[in-house]
Amino acid sequence: DTLVYFGGLEKVASAAFDALRPGGLLIFTVEELADAGSGVEFTLRNHGRYCHSRGYVERVLKQAGLKSEIVRAELRMESGAPVEGLAVRALRPAR
């Protein structure tokens, strides 16, 4: 749940690529931004956490040189309701 406190993920993805060895993995979750209008990649919600669109996460990881697998997931319960999100596996390809 740490990346829900970041808006833009470009620096995170770039730093992860630099830190990972070839074949290394970065695993994380973000809350899913499913109801945004066209062109909205991430937004800060009233609860103080960011939500990110799947397309944005995929694009940022690809631009950083990471291969991603993303699945929808129920991240946790909050006030009795499930919080929907994305579980992400980002791989630094072998050389």
Side-chain angles (χ1 to χ4, degrees):
D1 258 358
T2 57
L3 294 187
V4 298
Y5 298 104
F6 289 77
L9 299 177
E10 289 83 358
K11 290 182 181 179
V12 172
S14 178
F17 181 87
D18 291 342
L20 290 170
R21 295 179 184 164
L25 293 172
L26 171 67
I27 309 292
F28 64 93
T29 62
V30 292
E31 292 184 22
E32 184 175 18
L33 178 60
D35 59 352
S38 176
V40 177
E41 299 175 322
F42 59 87
T43 189
L44 181 62
R45 298 290 182 153
N46 290 339
H47 53 49
R49 294 182 301 273
Y50 284 91
C51 298
H52 299 82
S53 74
R54 181 185 184 121
Y56 170 71
V57 175
E58 289 172 339
R59 188 174 62 261
V60 165
L61 294 173
K62 183 177 182 179
Q63 288 173 343
L66 300 167
K67 292 185 178 183
S68 65
E69 293 179 24
I70 301 174
V71 297
R72 294 190 78 214
E74 187 175 292
L75 304 181
R76 66 183 173 283
M77 297 294 287
E78 187 170 302
S79 300
V83 175
E84 298 297 327
L86 304 171
V88 182
R89 177 184 184 268
L91 168 73
R92 178 173 175 167
R95 296 178 196 214

